[in-house]
Amino acid sequence: MTDASKTELVVEDVHKYLGGLHILQGASFTAERGSIVSLLGASGSGKTTLLRCIAGLEQPEVGRIRIGGKVMLDCDQRLTIAPERRNIGLVFQSYALWPHRSVMENVAYGLKLRGIDKITAARRVQETLERIGLGHLADRYPDQLSGGQQQRVAICRALVYQPRVLLMDEPLSNLDAKLREEARYWIRKLVLDLEICGVLVTHDQSEALAASDNILLLRNGAIVQQGAPQDIYARPASFYAADFLGANNVASGRIERTADGASIRGPNWALDGVLVGDTGEGEGKAVIRVEKIGIHGAPAEGRIAMQLDACLYLGDRWEYRLSYGDLQAKAFGPKALPSGPVWAEIPRDGVWLFPAAA
Amino acid sequence: MQQTLKNLGLAALLALGTASPTLAATAEQIAAAKAEGAVSIYTATDIAQGQALVDAFKAKYPGITINYNDVGTNGAYNRVISEAAAGQVGGDIVWTSAMDLTVKLAADGYLATYVSTEKPSLPAWSDYKNMVYATSVEPIGILYNKNALKPDQVPKTRADLIAFVANPAMAGKVASFDPEKSGVGFMIDVNDLQQTDNFWDLAKAFRAGGGKTYSASGAMKETVMSGENVLAFNIIGSYALAWAKENDSLGVAFGTDYTAALSRVAAIIKGAPHPEAAKLFLDFMLSKDGQTALASVGLPSVRTDVDSGYNLTTISAVVGGNLKPIALDDSLLEYMEPAKRVKFLKMWADSK
Amino acid sequence: MSAQETHSGVARGGGTAVVSGRPSSPPRPMPRPGEALAFRRSVIGLLALAVLAPIGLILYQSFLDGPFFIAKSRPGFSAYLYVLTDPMFYEALTNTVIMAVGMVAIAVPLGTALAFLLTRTDVKFRGLLEVVVLVPMFISAIVLAFGYTVSIGPSGFVSMLARSVFGFVPWNLYTLGGIVLVTGLSHVPHVYLYVSAAMRNLPSDLEEAARSIGAPLWRVGLDVTAPMVLPALIFVAVLNLMIGFEMFGVPLVLGDPSGITVLTTYVYKLTTLFGVPTYQLMAVVVVLLVLLTLPLVWFQRRLLRNSRRYAALGGKGGRTTAMRLGTRGQVIALSAIGLWLFFSVALPIGGIVLRAFVDAWGQGVNPFAHLTLKHFANLLEVPRLYHGILNTILIAVVGGAVAVGIYLLVGLAGHRSKDRASTLLDYIVLLPRAMPNLVTGLAFFWLFLFVPFLVPFRPTLVSLFTAYLIMGLAYGLRLLQGTLIQVSPELEEAARTTGATVTRAWRDVVIPIIRPGLVGAWALIMIVFLRDYATGVYLMSAGTEVIGSLIVSLLQSGAMDIIAALAFVSILLTGAGLGLALRLGAKLHD
């Protein structure tokens, strides 16, 4: 997966302090051409700060950043390059289109700054706008555009001068749900087609999972886990990572080692599971993705008897509300079931066990 | 006392007698002044009154620009001393009614000595050591509201005035200068103090009667015109006469037993940037032409041979013969001493 | 970056991705590159020089026993000793405090009520009122005071009317109470302007909640709206307190007849007391005045910092709907506003207009029988007077534009800067406000006299303009900063990340966006320059007269006819400036 020749962005051990707070606690990652890295985290996790550090809009106190092989920041050398000289494109959450400039002028500005003659610039802007279906809007002003159109113009503006890295700060958060799903597709396609290096900040896990090649999960200014979307979803390294992604059942109980692995048990229930990382015996938590629990009408080998309390209709499927002793759980199924006893099938490797402290 | 004063006044008038021949400016002087091209005046006379003089000078000596700076009495003094200190003298002539400040400027060496060509035509008291020259004789008088007072109700003598301000019916309706705020007012008051024996009686009666004090004669005029005050005393008569001419409701009166007069004084500033033009201008101010221009706007001439407006002779007749111009001499410096000033003002404040 | 590595090689919880041996205390911050520091520092440095030079001169003067330029003046505390043991000083100080506090006590509640009515309710004629209520702010204080003497002075037009009704005049303008009332009512717009800005951004849901549980409108204003803008209220109270300390024109005119002195007029009195200008005493009073104001400046800065935080919290979004007043409410509100406008606009302006066209007025005089145009003929005949009018227009229109340009440069120099120089800026900007304009003018007169390279500019409008620039600095810069701060930082950052240097981003993004704000600022600065009367008193010379200072100098001789005509012209010019401002789409609010 790693190909040094394609690496565009290297972030090493970036720390940022604000007042007495340590808001970035050593972030490191690399990003490549033709791929998207997502910085995923709840608000306050430092993801936007990290993005702004890469852009040069914030100055970290510690760390190194290289873009396209050039050193942009080296705190040991007390070297830092101004944002305008980093050759990046940044898409703001608010889009930050200049209200006094037409779409054409907004997009052409980066070219103008790079000394590209007007005719060439106009042609390139038009091409870029056509590419995302906004060719007919070149003469409009931002306030005459819809939110989705504004967002595309903002991305065009950041792309047209072919920056080494395209940074996107929650670019989809101001769009409605349907538009968002469309947008994450075409943003991904655009980045892949144009072979640029994209960095996407988002708090929305489905956006990160769908749009990126690599996800960095941040928490309190630190990277909790990073990896491909499938990896990070399927193999979370911590309770936080496991719980943050997907729809989950969480159970607290006592973890014990067993002959063929481990189990967690409450006062009147027990589940077999796998220990994640260096989890040992003692108080712990289990995370079970909702979709891992299969519900059946009849008992069989390995199935656990549970009580079905209610069924909720979600449109494409049904949600079952289950209880197992004092353990509450959710599961999905294709059809409505009558309340009463049911049998749940939970694969052992679908029950991740973590220490309680984490 | 009054008889003495009268005699002194007469003596002063007799001293001028007939006008002596005037030495006209030579062609060389005029050429030199024109070569300088301009003359700057620092003055407290507002331009509405000064314009006639400026126009007359321009008509006679075209080609010399006049920079007329109306900066007030303190402003003129301030400019002279601070420009001298900076070595950036910008003014040629200082022309102000603050006789005391100007004599102090002379005494402190800020002014140039120049014997005016017009000196033979001027009264003896009207210059200070050939530096400061009186350019007008402005009697100090009473301005009253004709709608409120009949002419026979207006005080004629100092004693009348004291009785008038002490009259409870006039309480709070009499105005005068505030010597704390007006330098000219202060000068007039101390002159009264030096020249009459009942100054403090007047002050006490005035203060006790709730008399109102102002820092400018114009402000007093406004209140008398409106009837807010029925009468203002120690007002500059030259203004008062002009106002009364324009306005039916205003009347002017002068003390028949004693009428002081102040003079607008002019001097050439030492180190003046246009010395020749300054001399020409000073001579012109004192000449018949210049004095005629000033008299035409209500500043009575210090000469006796001026026909328009009032001259020294006619104004003396107007005030009833007992005109007592404030002389330009060292006595003006007496109350420039801070200690004496503060003492006077303290007595003024305590007379309430 | 392999899958295994990402799955297992990562520390848990709040741990760091890469363990580093850094100390927990924050390391030295990195420099911020490309922030145009050289530009920022040189602009701020130049400004500091222009502000601190006159203040420094005054401070130095206060420690001498004579004018600083006289060789025999010796350093010492004698001037302080004199002033601090002078009973008149304490009398003036007491009067000043009473005047300032009284003014605040009148202006703040009324201004707040006005702001509430015009921003939170559906009071009628709002569009018109929003402009008209600002008028008293734009009229020169000296013109205003003069107007009041003509209308409600002891023999004013209105007083005469009252006398014919009651047989006597039931008020006396020439008292401390009269001064407080006049200044209080004329400063209502100052309060209104700030408070309405704060109120405009409030979401209406809280007020609606209060109304829905049955609170009458005035209770809503008192209990809900006012507390929400409390920081703005305190801020504006402090600001007006400072304005009150500096007030000169109104006490000069209204305090004269009854001998009421405040600190600024006490300075005047000191001069004649000693016959010659006693600059050292004047300087001492100014230094004391600055010392009195500095804590307020400091307090105000703290408030401003907090209220910005407050505004950021509460100011986001929120729809505002006007509360309905109802017919009775409309009548009461409009009558109250009308009454106030009558007193603060109609009375003084009416007085001036009348006085400008008559040559006699007062008891027993029918002014309409004395109508005349000759005062205006005077203005045209006397070069000094029409020069004064032309210069005033020149300095207001051209000077105002240049000043906005300079304030813009200063504003940009401090714009989103974390540099220490910009903290310095905040303080030096406020210093001139603590100094009476008269003294600012005097200090600049000295500077242009004694600083060699400035000397050639002294008899030109440049010297006057420089003093005006510093006089208007606090107001103008606040105006510009207010406009600059409205440009969302992301718009600038977008330019930076697109490749523009910071100065380029200002040129291409910030300045074009705030252009309407700049035009508005120009119009307002124009009016500030039009209405000033004190700065030019010492500075103006032949050919550089300005209306306001001409009025002050004419007051000394008392040519009231010409003063009235000049005041009338001044009001016309102000009206024209205001009209122009509105025409250009200037937002007078904010």
Side-chain angles (χ1 to χ4, degrees), chain A residues 2 13 15 17 19 25-26 28 30 52 57 59-62 73 75 78-84 88 90 92 94 96-101 109-110 112-114 157 161 214 219 222-227 231 235-238 277-278, chain C residues 1-8 10-20 22-35 418 488-502 504-505 508-510 512-513:
Chain A
T2 311
D13 189 25
H15 292 253
Y17 298 82
Q25 307 177 357
S28 300
T30 60
R52 291 172 60 82
L57 297 172
Q59 299 300 331
E61 283 77 16
V62 177
L73 175 87
C75 292
R78 297 194 68 67
L79 168 86
T80 168
I81 304 290
E84 62 269 22
I88 47 153
L90 177 52
F92 290 84
S94 63
L97 295 180
W98 302 305
H100 63 295
R101 291 171 174 256
Y109 187 58
K112 185 175 156 194
L113 290 172
R114 284 162 179 77
R157 184 177 70 183
Y161 49 88
N214 201 358
R219 183 191 185 195
I223 295 178
V224 176
Q225 189 172 358
Q226 49 183 307
D231 283 339
R235 290 196 289 278
S238 63
D278 53 0
Chain C
M1 194 179 292
S2 71
Q4 300 91 298
E5 186 190 323
T6 57
H7 187 64
S8 54
V10 173
R12 278 178 195 80
T16 49
V18 175
V19 179
S20 61
R22 304 280 170 191
S24 59
S25 64
R28 194 151 64 109
M30 287 286 286
R32 301 175 68 83
E35 287 293 313
K418 296 195 169 89
S488 149
E490 299 194 335
L491 293 179
E492 292 170 60
E493 290 172 356
R496 296 294 302 277
T497 55
T498 308
T501 58
V502 69
R504 189 82 198 246
D508 290 343
V509 174
V510 178
I513 290 177

Side-chain angles (χ1 to χ4, degrees), chain C residues 111-129:
Chain C
T112 308
L114 190 63
F116 177 73
L117 283 173
L118 290 186
T119 59
R120 313 303 298 173
T121 73
D122 65 343
V123 69
K124 289 230 177 348
F125 314 115
R126 199 149 64 161
L128 176 71
L129 285 176

Side-chain angles (χ1 to χ4, degrees), chain B residues 46-47 51 69-70 78-79 83 86 88 101 180-181 183 213 215-216 218 222 225-228 247 341 345, chain C residues 154-155 174 256 269 272-273 275 279 355 359 361 363 382-384 455 458 538 540-542 555 557-558 560:
Chain B
D46 71 52
I47 184 65
Q51 195 66 43
N69 294 270
D70 174 7
N78 169 35
R79 288 210 173 196
E83 287 182 358
Q88 298 287 339
L101 279 178
E180 289 182 346
K181 283 194 204 149
T213 55
S215 48
E222 198 74 3
M225 185 169 82
S226 71
E228 177 186 338
N247 197 308
R341 264 187 114 82
L345 288 172
Chain C
S155 293
Y174 301 152
D256 188 24
K269 216 168 166 173
T272 35
L273 210 60
Y279 299 124
R355 184 62 188 87
D359 55 10
W361 60 288
Q363 294 169 22
V382 181
R384 194 171 144 80
V455 167
R458 181 167 66 95
Y538 285 101
M540 66 175 184
S541 51
L555 268 175
S557 58
M560 294 297 172

